[in-house]
PDB file of all heavy atoms in Angstrom:
ATOM      1  N   ARG O 584      -4.715 -10.564  28.124  1.00 91.00           N
ATOM      2  CA  ARG O 584      -5.101 -10.197  29.488  1.00 91.00           C
ATOM      3  C   ARG O 584      -5.888 -11.324  30.157  1.00 91.00           C
ATOM      4  O   ARG O 584      -5.679 -11.641  31.327  1.00 91.00           O
ATOM      5  CB  ARG O 584      -5.951  -8.917  29.481  1.00 91.00           C
ATOM      6  CG  ARG O 584      -5.138  -7.668  29.468  1.00 91.00           C
ATOM      7  CD  ARG O 584      -4.399  -7.486  30.773  1.00 91.00           C
ATOM      8  NE  ARG O 584      -3.642  -6.261  30.709  1.00 91.00           N
ATOM      9  CZ  ARG O 584      -3.273  -5.544  31.762  1.00 91.00           C
ATOM     10  NH1 ARG O 584      -3.562  -5.962  32.986  1.00 91.00           N
ATOM     11  NH2 ARG O 584      -2.595  -4.449  31.615  1.00 91.00           N
ATOM     12  N   ILE O 585      -6.817 -11.896  29.379  1.00 93.00           N
ATOM     13  CA  ILE O 585      -7.617 -12.995  29.943  1.00 93.00           C
ATOM     14  C   ILE O 585      -6.688 -14.140  30.345  1.00 93.00           C
ATOM     15  O   ILE O 585      -6.807 -14.706  31.440  1.00 93.00           O
ATOM     16  CB  ILE O 585      -8.671 -13.472  28.919  1.00 93.00           C
ATOM     17  CG1 ILE O 585      -9.691 -12.360  28.650  1.00 93.00           C
ATOM     18  CG2 ILE O 585      -9.383 -14.738  29.418  1.00 93.00           C
ATOM     19  CD1 ILE O 585     -10.761 -12.697  27.640  1.00 93.00           C
ATOM     20  N   LYS O 586      -5.724 -14.448  29.464  1.00 91.00           N
ATOM     21  CA  LYS O 586      -4.778 -15.530  29.783  1.00 91.00           C
ATOM     22  C   LYS O 586      -3.993 -15.203  31.050  1.00 91.00           C
ATOM     23  O   LYS O 586      -3.795 -16.069  31.911  1.00 91.00           O
ATOM     24  CB  LYS O 586      -3.797 -15.718  28.616  1.00 91.00           C
ATOM     25  CG  LYS O 586      -4.336 -16.525  27.465  1.00 91.00           C
ATOM     26  CD  LYS O 586      -3.169 -16.835  26.532  1.00 91.00           C
ATOM     27  CE  LYS O 586      -3.588 -17.602  25.318  1.00 91.00           C
ATOM     28  NZ  LYS O 586      -2.436 -17.887  24.459  1.00 91.00           N
ATOM     29  N   GLU O 587      -3.539 -13.967  31.146  1.00 90.00           N
ATOM     30  CA  GLU O 587      -2.790 -13.573  32.340  1.00 90.00           C
ATOM     31  C   GLU O 587      -3.611 -13.773  33.595  1.00 90.00           C
ATOM     32  O   GLU O 587      -3.117 -14.299  34.608  1.00 90.00           O
ATOM     33  CB  GLU O 587      -2.399 -12.090  32.260  1.00 90.00           C
ATOM     34  CG  GLU O 587      -1.085 -11.842  31.566  1.00 90.00           C
ATOM     35  CD  GLU O 587      -0.803 -10.352  31.461  1.00 90.00           C
ATOM     36  OE1 GLU O 587      -0.872  -9.663  32.499  1.00 90.00           O
ATOM     37  OE2 GLU O 587      -0.535  -9.886  30.345  1.00 90.00           O
ATOM     38  N   GLU O 588      -4.874 -13.373  33.529  1.00 91.00           N
ATOM     39  CA  GLU O 588      -5.752 -13.529  34.683  1.00 91.00           C
ATOM     40  C   GLU O 588      -5.920 -15.006  35.016  1.00 91.00           C
ATOM     41  O   GLU O 588      -5.882 -15.406  36.186  1.00 91.00           O
ATOM     42  CB  GLU O 588      -7.124 -12.899  34.409  1.00 91.00           C
ATOM     43  CG  GLU O 588      -7.099 -11.404  34.158  1.00 91.00           C
ATOM     44  CD  GLU O 588      -6.640 -10.605  35.371  1.00 91.00           C
ATOM     45  OE1 GLU O 588      -6.979 -11.006  36.502  1.00 91.00           O
ATOM     46  OE2 GLU O 588      -5.913  -9.607  35.182  1.00 91.00           O
ATOM     47  N   LEU O 589      -6.102 -15.825  33.970  1.00 91.00           N
ATOM     48  CA  LEU O 589      -6.283 -17.262  34.201  1.00 91.00           C
ATOM     49  C   LEU O 589      -5.045 -17.859  34.859  1.00 91.00           C
ATOM     50  O   LEU O 589      -5.139 -18.680  35.771  1.00 91.00           O
ATOM     51  CB  LEU O 589      -6.569 -17.991  32.880  1.00 91.00           C
ATOM     52  CG  LEU O 589      -7.933 -17.720  32.236  1.00 91.00           C
ATOM     53  CD1 LEU O 589      -8.011 -18.370  30.872  1.00 91.00           C
ATOM     54  CD2 LEU O 589      -9.072 -18.208  33.134  1.00 91.00           C
ATOM     55  N   ARG O 590      -3.859 -17.397  34.408  1.00 90.00           N
ATOM     56  CA  ARG O 590      -2.620 -17.901  34.986  1.00 90.00           C
ATOM     57  C   ARG O 590      -2.529 -17.558  36.456  1.00 90.00           C
ATOM     58  O   ARG O 590      -1.945 -18.292  37.242  1.00 90.00           O
ATOM     59  CB  ARG O 590      -1.420 -17.315  34.235  1.00 90.00           C
ATOM     60  CG  ARG O 590      -0.886 -18.241  33.162  1.00 90.00           C
ATOM     61  CD  ARG O 590       0.353 -17.659  32.520  1.00 90.00           C
ATOM     62  NE  ARG O 590       0.153 -17.570  31.070  1.00 90.00           N
ATOM     63  CZ  ARG O 590       0.170 -16.450  30.374  1.00 90.00           C
ATOM     64  NH1 ARG O 590       0.404 -15.299  30.979  1.00 90.00           N
ATOM     65  NH2 ARG O 590      -0.029 -16.492  29.090  1.00 90.00           N
ATOM     66  N   LEU O 591      -3.101 -16.430  36.845  1.00 89.00           N
ATOM     67  CA  LEU O 591      -3.084 -16.032  38.247  1.00 89.00           C
ATOM     68  C   LEU O 591      -4.133 -16.798  39.047  1.00 89.00           C
ATOM     69  O   LEU O 591      -4.314 -16.551  40.238  1.00 89.00           O
ATOM     70  CB  LEU O 591      -3.339 -14.527  38.381  1.00 89.00           C
ATOM     71  CG  LEU O 591      -2.248 -13.619  37.824  1.00 89.00           C
ATOM     72  CD1 LEU O 591      -2.675 -12.160  37.903  1.00 89.00           C
ATOM     73  CD2 LEU O 591      -0.935 -13.824  38.567  1.00 89.00           C
ATOM     74  N   GLY O 592      -4.883 -17.680  38.370  1.00 88.00           N
ATOM     75  CA  GLY O 592      -5.842 -18.505  39.075  1.00 88.00           C
ATOM     76  C   GLY O 592      -7.226 -17.896  39.207  1.00 88.00           C
ATOM     77  O   GLY O 592      -8.049 -18.360  39.997  1.00 88.00           O
ATOM     78  N   VAL O 593      -7.494 -16.874  38.444  1.00 90.00           N
ATOM     79  CA  VAL O 593      -8.828 -16.254  38.482  1.00 90.00           C
ATOM     80  C   VAL O 593      -9.805 -17.175  37.753  1.00 90.00           C
ATOM     81  O   VAL O 593      -9.448 -17.738  36.720  1.00 90.00           O
ATOM     82  CB  VAL O 593      -8.771 -14.871  37.804  1.00 90.00           C
ATOM     83  CG1 VAL O 593     -10.144 -14.221  37.757  1.00 90.00           C
ATOM     84  CG2 VAL O 593      -7.772 -13.976  38.501  1.00 90.00           C
ATOM     85  N   PRO O 594     -11.026 -17.374  38.285  1.00 90.00           N
ATOM     86  CA  PRO O 594     -11.983 -18.213  37.572  1.00 90.00           C
ATOM     87  C   PRO O 594     -12.361 -17.617  36.220  1.00 90.00           C
ATOM     88  O   PRO O 594     -12.319 -16.392  36.052  1.00 90.00           O
ATOM     89  CB  PRO O 594     -13.198 -18.250  38.499  1.00 90.00           C
ATOM     90  CG  PRO O 594     -12.985 -17.169  39.479  1.00 90.00           C
ATOM     91  CD  PRO O 594     -11.529 -16.900  39.572  1.00 90.00           C
ATOM     92  N   PRO O 595     -12.728 -18.490  35.256  1.00 90.00           N
ATOM     93  CA  PRO O 595     -12.953 -18.078  33.869  1.00 90.00           C
ATOM     94  C   PRO O 595     -13.841 -16.847  33.697  1.00 90.00           C
ATOM     95  O   PRO O 595     -13.448 -15.902  33.006  1.00 90.00           O
ATOM     96  CB  PRO O 595     -13.601 -19.311  33.247  1.00 90.00           C
ATOM     97  CG  PRO O 595     -13.053 -20.436  34.016  1.00 90.00           C
ATOM     98  CD  PRO O 595     -12.872 -19.939  35.421  1.00 90.00           C
ATOM     99  N   GLN O 596     -15.040 -16.846  34.311  1.00 90.00           N
ATOM    100  CA  GLN O 596     -15.950 -15.711  34.096  1.00 90.00           C
ATOM    101  C   GLN O 596     -15.314 -14.394  34.527  1.00 90.00           C
ATOM    102  O   GLN O 596     -15.379 -13.405  33.808  1.00 90.00           O
ATOM    103  CB  GLN O 596     -17.270 -15.927  34.864  1.00 90.00           C
ATOM    104  CG  GLN O 596     -18.112 -17.050  34.345  1.00 90.00           C
ATOM    105  CD  GLN O 596     -18.767 -16.738  33.007  1.00 90.00           C
ATOM    106  OE1 GLN O 596     -18.439 -15.779  32.339  1.00 90.00           O
ATOM    107  NE2 GLN O 596     -19.709 -17.585  32.609  1.00 90.00           N
TER     108      GLN O 596
END
Side-chain angles (χ1 to χ4, degrees):
Chain O
R584 275 292 181 155
I585 295 179
K586 280 191 182 181
E587 272 177 52
E588 298 296 324
L589 290 173
R590 263 184 236 119
L591 293 175
V593 177
Q596 292 288 12

